[in-house]
Amino acid sequence: MPADVQADALPGSIADDFNTRGRDWYVDRAVSVGVFVGGVSAIIFIIGIFIFVTREGLGFALGTLDLKEFFTSMNWRPTSERNPTYGILALMAGTASVTGLAMLVAVPFSLGAAIYIAEFASGRMRESLKVLVELLAAIPSVVWGFIGMSIMNPLIIDMFDVPVGLSVLNAGVILGLMAAPIMTTIAEDALKAVPDAYREAAEAMGATRWQVVFKVVLPAAKNGLMAAVLLGVGRGFGETMAVLMASGHAINIPTSPFDSVRALTATIAAELGDTARGSDHYGVLFTLGIFLFVVTFVINLTADIVVKGVGKKQ
Amino acid sequence: MKRLFTILGLPLVLLACGGGEDRTIIQNTGSDTLLSVAQGWAEAYAMVEPTVAIAVSGGGSGTGISSMINGTVDIANASRGMRESEFEAARAQGLDPQEHIVGYDALAIFLHPDNPLTSISLEQLVGIYGENGTIESWAQLGIEVPGCGSDEIVRVSRQNNSGTYAYFREAVLGESEFKLGSRDMHGSKDVVDLVENTPCAIGYSGLAYATDHISMPCVSAGEGTPCVAPSVDTAIDGSYTIARPLFMYTAMPPEGGVKQYMDWILSDEGQCIIFDKGYAPVATVTCA
C-alpha cells in the first residue's frame, strides 16, 4: 500500500505506483500469493493425507482383509508366522474406554472452568486464568505420558492396591487433563458469544447471578458447549503418545478401570516403524489409519453441524 | 519464490558435501538390544579409523532389516535371524544379504526384587506367556509375592515386531502363540522400569538391561535338568537355554570400509567392547 503521507508525495505519484510495476507491486503480489497459499494449504494437506492413507491401506482393506474378523475379533497377532490375525475389537474397546473416562474427567472440569472464566471472574483473575489454561494446552503429550508412567503408575498402585497402575484409569485421567484446556477455551468462546442483552434482561427481571448463568446463558450456549465436548472427544480419540505410555498397551477388553488396554492410535505408533512396506501388517496398520480418519472426521463434522445449528435457530 | 528455495537449499547442499570428501559414512540401524554395543563400537572405531564415521540408530530389528532392504542403511543390527520372507524381499531387489554373528545374548527373566521366586522352568514360562497357558497367579507357582495383594501375574512383554519378542516366541513358546493381554513395552528399558516398580510383574529382555533393582531367576529347560543363572559365561558355554545369537546384516558381501569395520568388530578389540556391555563374545577373548 502506498501509504506515503510526506509533503512531497503528490496524488499523481500514488497513481504511478499502481500503474508501474515497481517494488511495491511485487511485494503486493508476493504477499497476496502467500496469503492465498496459506489459506488453501489446509485443504491441500487434508486431501494429500487422505489420498496417501487411502492408497496405502484401501487395497488391502478391500482385498486381503477379512472385514468381519477385523471388527469382531479381539485377536491382534499381525506378526504371527503361522497364522496372522487382525482383529481390532480389543483396540476399539481400549480407545473407547479411555476416551469415555477422559470425558468424565474433562467435561466437569472444563465446563466449570469456562463458566467461571466467562461469567464470574473479572479483570486480572480472568486474564491470568486464560493464559494458564492456554499454557496447560501447550504441554507436550510425551510429557503427559511420562507423568502417567512415573507418577500416576505408583500412585494408583498405592491408592487402590492393584497390581499395575498403567490402566484405563491412568490413561483416562491423563487424557482428560489434556483435553480439558481445549474444551475450556472453546466452551468459554461459546459462553462469550451469548449476547449481553440476554444477561441484562434476566438481571432486570430480578434473577440472581447463578440463575442468569444456569437458566439463561447455559441453554443459549448449549450448541457451542456440545461442540466443545465433541472436539474434546476427537482430541482424546486421536491422542497417541500419552495413551501409549499410560494405558499399559495390553490387548484386553477392559472390565474395570484398573485393566490395561491398548488404543488404536498407540498400536499404529508402536508398530508402523518396524514394518516392511507393502506387507500385510503394513496394510492393516494403514487400514487402522483410514478407520481413525473416518471416525475423527465424523466427530468433527458433527461438532461443526451442531455449531451451525445455533446460527439457524437465532 | 526462487530465491527462497536457494536460501533453503544452500545449507543442505553444503551439509551433504561437507563430510563427503575425506570421510566415509556408514549407516548402521536396527535392534535396540544391540544399540548400546553398536554405539560403543562406533565410538571406539572413530579412534581406530578417523576417516570413517559410523551413524548408529535403533528402532528394532525389523526396522533395521527393512531399511537395509530399502537401501537406506549399510549395516542392519538384529537380535533375531532374518526371516525367509525378508530374504526373498531382499533378493527381489537384487541384493545378496550376508549374515554376521557378532555376539550372544542371554535372555533373562526379570522379577521385582521382592519376588521370592529363584528358579523357573521353560514349561512354567509357557504356562505364563503361552496362548493356552493356565498359570495366572503366583500361588500356582507355589509362592506368595509381598506387595502383590491380587496375586495376579502381570505379564510384561515387548511390541510384536521386536527381535526379543520374536526370539522369546521361538525359543520359549515354540508352537504356541503369546497369550493376549500382556503389557507390550516399547523397548527393553521400559520392561525393566515397569518390572522394577511392579511387585506382581514378570518380564523378559536381554541380560545387559538388568539393573541392581531387579531379580533374575535361574532357568531350567525341564524337570531334572539343572537350573542355570543367566550370565555372560553361561551364554558363552551354551548351558543357559535361552541365549541367542546377535546379528549384523549387510545387503551384499561387505567390501571396502564396511568390510574393515566388520572385521574390526570380530577382532579382539571389538569383541572386548561387546563383552564390556554385558553380552557374550563370539569366541572367548582375553580383555584388559
Side-chain angles (χ1 to χ4, degrees):
Chain A
M1 269 234 340
D4 258 342
V5 278
Q6 286 169 2
D8 58 347
L10 300 165
S13 76
I14 295 172
D16 282 349
D17 274 358
F18 277 115
N19 293 333
T20 55
R21 298 191 163 189
R23 205 187 56 149
D24 287 353
W25 187 86
Y26 284 105
V27 170
D28 182 60
R29 291 299 301 215
V31 169
S32 56
V33 166
V35 169
F36 177 74
V37 169
V40 296
S41 63
I43 302 173
I44 294 170
F45 285 137
I46 201 100
I47 291 175
I49 291 170
F50 186 71
I51 290 174
F52 171 68
V53 173
T54 317
R55 199 194 53 179
E56 300 284 337
L58 201 63
F60 178 80
L62 298 180
T64 327
L65 187 66
D66 178 355
L67 281 173
K68 187 169 170 279
E69 186 205 15
F70 186 65
F71 286 112
T72 58
S73 159
M74 66 169 286
N75 287 314
W76 176 259
R77 288 200 178 91
T79 57
S80 169
E81 278 173 58
R82 275 178 297 276
N83 178 30
T85 50
Y86 309 105
I88 63 164
L89 188 65
L91 310 183
M92 289 193 291
T95 292
S97 59
V98 170
T99 310
L101 188 71
M103 288 307 111
L104 285 184
V105 173
V107 168
F109 270 119
S110 55
L111 291 191
I115 291 170
Y116 182 72
I117 293 173
E119 303 295 324
F120 294 98
S122 57
R124 256 225 178 116
M125 185 67 176
R126 164 193 250 144
E127 289 314 309
S128 42
L129 270 178
K130 280 177 81 162
V131 170
L132 282 176
V133 166
E134 273 153 31
L135 202 66
L136 201 62
I139 296 175
S141 66
V142 68
V143 173
W144 282 112
F146 191 72
I147 291 171
M149 222 173 195
S150 54
I151 298 175
M152 296 272 289
N153 179 32
L155 204 67
I156 290 174
I157 294 177
D158 274 359
M159 278 174 71
F160 300 101
D161 192 28
V162 286
V164 68
L166 300 176
S167 55
V168 177
L169 179 67
N170 191 334
V173 170
I174 291 284
L175 205 53
L177 294 178
M178 288 176 74
I182 294 157
M183 289 164 66
T184 306
T185 308
I186 297 168
E188 190 219 331
D189 286 347
L191 294 174
K192 286 271 106 182
V194 175
D196 273 345
Y198 284 33
R199 296 185 184 85
E200 283 156 12
E203 271 166 22
M205 305 285 286
T208 64
R209 224 162 164 199
W210 178 244
Q211 283 170 327
V212 171
V213 170
F214 205 66
K215 298 249 167 78
V216 176
V217 178
L218 283 188
K222 196 177 61 195
N223 290 349
L225 297 179
M226 190 74 111
V229 171
L230 280 174
L231 282 174
V233 171
R235 173 91 173 91
F237 202 83
E239 174 52 41
T240 305
M241 203 59 214
V243 178
L244 173 62
M245 292 167 82
S247 67
H249 207 53
I251 298 170
N252 188 19
I253 293 179
T255 51
S256 94
F258 302 110
D259 284 346
S260 294
V261 290
R262 186 195 278 208
L264 291 160
T265 47
T267 303
I268 299 179
E271 296 176 11
L272 189 61
D274 291 7
T275 312
R277 273 188 85 110
S279 65
D280 282 1
H281 190 188
Y282 186 82
V284 80
L285 290 176
F286 271 91
T287 310
L288 275 187
I290 296 174
F291 178 65
L292 277 169
F293 195 95
V294 169
V295 173
T296 37
F297 184 74
V298 168
I299 292 174
N300 281 339
L301 199 68
T302 315
D304 213 39
I305 291 169
V306 166
V307 174
K308 291 269 161 60
V310 171
K312 266 181 207 157
K313 271 184 210 155
Q314 286 168 353
Chain B
M1 274 318 236
K2 219 170 189 173
R3 189 139 126 223
L4 188 71
F5 284 121
T6 321
I7 294 167
L8 285 176
L10 198 62
L12 289 179
V13 174
L14 286 176
L15 210 67
C17 298
E21 279 173 79
D22 55 347
R23 293 186 79 182
T24 323
I25 296 178
I26 297 177
Q27 296 289 345
N28 180 206
T29 297
S31 167
D32 287 320
T33 306
L34 264 169
L35 185 59
S36 70
V37 182
Q39 282 166 343
W41 278 330
E43 280 161 25
Y45 198 64
M47 315 282 183
V48 178
E49 200 70 64
T51 59
V52 178
I54 321 276
V56 180
S57 63
S61 303
T63 310
I65 292 168
S66 57
S67 310
M68 182 197 74
I69 296 170
N70 296 339
T72 51
V73 303
D74 301 297
I75 304 171
N77 306 330
S79 58
R80 61 165 170 84
M82 254 173 91
R83 300 197 178 102
E84 198 44 49
S85 59
E86 288 164 338
F87 272 113
E88 274 163 27
R91 284 191 210 106
Q93 304 275 328
L95 303 174
D96 177 21
Q98 301 290 310
E99 179 176 297
H100 314 267
I101 293 178
V102 294
Y104 291 89
D105 177 29
L107 204 66
I109 306 299
F110 293 139
L111 299 169
H112 190 268
D114 292 344
N115 193 316
L117 195 72
T118 53
S119 70
I120 196 161
S121 70
L122 290 187
E123 204 184 328
Q124 286 169 330
L125 284 172
V126 175
I128 293 169
Y129 276 102
E131 189 177 15
N132 299 314
T134 51
I135 304 178
E136 300 276 353
S137 69
W138 291 107
Q140 284 172 276
L141 295 176
I143 57 159
E144 195 181 313
V145 181
C148 177
S150 64
D151 199 38
E152 177 196 339
I153 297 179
V154 172
R155 281 165 286 137
V156 182
S157 183
R158 289 289 311 278
Q159 90 271 17
N160 58 28
N161 41 23
S162 107
T164 311
Y165 171 97
Y167 177 74
F168 189 86
R169 181 173 62 197
E170 178 195 315
V172 178
L173 303 183
E175 290 299 302
S176 180
E177 290 285 344
F178 276 94
K179 201 189 289 179
L180 294 173
S182 55
R183 277 80 179 167
D184 302 338
M185 297 291 113
H186 206 73
S188 296
K189 210 187 151 298
D190 289 351
V191 171
V192 174
D193 281 350
L194 183 59
V195 175
E196 266 181 16
N197 294 313
T198 315
C200 297
I202 183 169
Y204 61 86
S205 239
L207 176 65
Y209 283 88
T211 64
D212 295 340
H213 311 291
I214 210 143
S215 116
M216 289 181 287
C218 63
V219 177
S220 66
E223 267 183 52
T225 53
C227 195
V228 182
S231 73
V232 173
D233 293 335
T234 55
I236 296 176
D237 67 22
S239 58
Y240 188 69
T241 47
I242 40 176
R244 57 180 167 169
L246 300 171
F247 302 98
M248 283 176 132
Y249 285 95
T250 50
M252 289 296 203
E255 52 188 35
V258 176
K259 182 169 176 19
Q260 276 175 17
Y261 184 52
M262 293 305 304
D263 288 345
W264 175 83
I265 283 173
L266 293 172
S267 73
D268 283 4
E269 195 182 346
Q271 288 292 296
C272 280
I273 291 171
I274 195 170
F275 180 77
D276 284 345
K277 298 277 181 187
Y279 297 92
V282 175
T284 32
V285 285
T286 29
C287 301

